[in-house]
Amino acid sequence: MPADYRFSLGPWNIHPGADPFGPPVRPPVSFDDVLTAAVDLGFSGIQLHDDDAVPNLENLPPAAVVREAAELRKRLDDHGLVAEFVAPRLWEHAHGIDGGYTSNCPKARTWAIERSKRAVDVALAVGCDLIVMWPAREGTAVRESKNPIEAARQMLEAIDAMLAVAPNVRIAIEPKPNEPVDHAFVPTIGHALALGARSSDPARVGVLIESAHAILAGLDPSDEMGFALAAGKLWSVHLNDQNGLKFDQDKVFGAANLRGAFDQVRVLEAAGYADLGGFVGFDVKAQRTQRAGAATAHLATSKRIFQMLVAKVRSFPERTANECIANRDYEALERLVLEHLLAG
Ligand code: GLO
Ligand code: MG
């Protein structure tokens, strides 16, 4: 029997429901309540931005940052939770207005690298060795505003600076093609893997794949996952869904394309992802109209759909499918898949 999947969420997945066109519609949820909710939902991993872990890290000396992160580790421990990763949140800070690593302001670039090194300290103190690098504003709104050749070099410099902090730290790049920028510099898994391969220690650079980000890039999430799995580089996933090419929707896993979700679970099962030790994270948002009391239902539903799809994958009639493939009868294969998904 394959190992059981371990699930993770970030505090930003339980949120007050504000969008760019309106105020919050639910009261904020305290960090402690997030931890309690995670346990109640059967999640065992917590994903953290550096300032989720240590909220005032910009104003603290490095030793105090480490101390606060170590205290958080104890709090997680008390709940039976572990930190899955820490992500430097450069995009929320005034210095990150034009991106961090690829900002046109040299002071902002120095700040971004220093902040990222502190994020590594936070990760190690909170008990994990994984940094997630979502290059939110590393890109352009006006294409001529930055030099893409220079940008690739700057991104590499940031990766190497984080790798140099500790010999065991690993980095998972989470690519996204757009939003908040128009064109991101590392838009796909291929870009992320190519960048990692040029780092000072390619063995310590992998990827996190978010379903919606792949869809926004016009790609199939399960193929992106397969490509990373073939290279042994899929170190985490942000499963969710996305209704076509628009803003990043972070819908419940399977909500827009159930068959696409099935294919993602199928490729994870084929690779033995659960045994590889990675968490299954859901980067999902509660709907704006959702009342406060049920503002974790999107996480519960995503997990439930994932588990139901695991069962669907395991009961898929592989032998019949292989016969269809051998006969090049792809119409029969199409029907087999659809009937299997619809069967009770
Ligand atoms: C936004 C990203 C974001 C990251 C998170 C961790 O589109 O998906 O939610 O996953 O900040 O770096
Ligand atoms: Mg994400």
Side-chain angles (χ1 to χ4, degrees), residues 106-122:
K107 275 198 191 129
R109 291 201 299 274
T110 307
W111 163 81
I113 291 200
E114 284 312 308
R115 166 96 180 230
S116 302
K117 283 158 62 180
R118 290 293 79 74
V120 176
D121 294 343
V122 170

Side-chain angles (χ1 to χ4, degrees), residues 6-9 35 37-46 79-81 279-282 299-300 302-303:
R6 296 187 300 163
F7 300 101
S8 62
L9 57 85
L35 300 187
V39 175
D40 291 347
L41 291 162
F43 284 56
S44 57
I46 295 291
H79 285 83
L81 296 165
F279 277 90
V280 170
F282 296 107
L299 287 155
S302 293
K303 181 176 162 229

Side-chain angles (χ1 to χ4, degrees), residues 51 54-65 68 93 95 111 115 118:
D51 54 359
V54 182
N56 54 346
L57 88 173
E58 285 282 346
N59 307 316
L60 293 176
V65 170
E68 282 205 18
H93 194 276
H95 291 326
W111 163 81
R115 166 96 180 230
R118 290 293 79 74

Side-chain angles (χ1 to χ4, degrees), residues 123-134:
L124 298 176
V126 85
C128 66
D129 62 2
L130 189 62
I131 290 289
V132 163
M133 183 190 194
W134 171 44

Side-chain angles (χ1 to χ4, degrees), residues 254-268:
N257 181 352
L258 208 46
R259 184 176 181 177
F262 170 78
D263 289 332
Q264 290 170 65
V265 176
R266 190 156 183 257
V267 77
L268 294 176

Side-chain angles (χ1 to χ4, degrees), residues 180-246:
V181 291
D182 184 13
H183 292 296
F185 284 133
V186 184
T188 68
I189 288 309
H191 291 83
L193 291 180
L195 199 63
R198 292 174 55 224
S199 72
S200 59
D201 191 357
R204 289 194 284 141
V205 186
V207 295
L208 178 156
I209 295 185
E210 174 161 328
S211 325
H213 297 182
I215 296 165
L216 285 170
L219 298 169
D220 178 78
S222 68
D223 277 349
E224 287 282 87
M225 289 175 188
F227 190 72
L229 285 162
K233 292 292 190 187
L234 188 62
W235 295 348
S236 188
V237 289
H238 272 174
L239 301 185
N240 57 15
D241 214 347
Q242 173 74 24
N243 197 6
L245 300 181
K246 46 185 92 172

Side-chain angles (χ1 to χ4, degrees), residues 21-212:
F21 302 103
V25 290
R26 293 181 289 267
V29 176
S30 74
F31 188 77
D32 272 319
D33 286 346
V34 167
L35 300 187
T36 311
V39 175
D40 291 347
L41 291 162
F43 284 56
S44 57
I46 295 291
Q47 311 173 352
L48 298 157
H49 295 121
D50 50 0
D51 54 359
D52 290 323
V54 182
N56 54 346
L57 88 173
E58 285 282 346
N59 307 316
L60 293 176
V65 170
V66 167
R67 215 169 28 244
E68 282 205 18
E71 276 161 25
L72 174 59
R73 182 181 188 167
K74 281 191 220 125
R75 271 162 76 200
L76 294 179
D77 220 38
D78 290 344
H79 285 83
L81 296 165
V82 294
E84 181 196 0
F85 66 69
V86 171
R89 182 151 50 179
L90 306 180
W91 59 93
E92 292 277 334
H93 194 276
H95 291 326
I97 192 166
D98 188 26
Y101 314 128
T102 65
S103 169
N104 281 323
C105 166
K107 275 198 191 129
R109 291 201 299 274
T110 307
W111 163 81
I113 291 200
E114 284 312 308
R115 166 96 180 230
S116 302
K117 283 158 62 180
R118 290 293 79 74
V120 176
D121 294 343
V122 170
L124 298 176
V126 85
C128 66
D129 62 2
L130 189 62
I131 290 289
V132 163
M133 183 190 194
W134 171 44
R137 296 191 200 281
E138 312 303 346
T140 56
V142 176
R143 184 70 287 289
E144 296 78 9
S145 64
K146 291 183 184 175
N147 174 344
I149 302 172
E150 189 58 11
R153 191 194 61 71
Q154 289 163 335
M155 301 277 292
L156 210 48
E157 191 186 334
I159 290 171
D160 286 346
M162 286 188 273
L163 291 176
V165 175
N168 60 330
V169 67
R170 298 177 299 136
I171 299 172
I173 303 173
E174 179 184 351
K176 179 179 180 181
N178 61 278
E179 198 204 41
V181 291
D182 184 13
H183 292 296
F185 284 133
V186 184
T188 68
I189 288 309
H191 291 83
L193 291 180
L195 199 63
R198 292 174 55 224
S199 72
S200 59
D201 191 357
R204 289 194 284 141
V205 186
V207 295
L208 178 156
I209 295 185
E210 174 161 328
S211 325

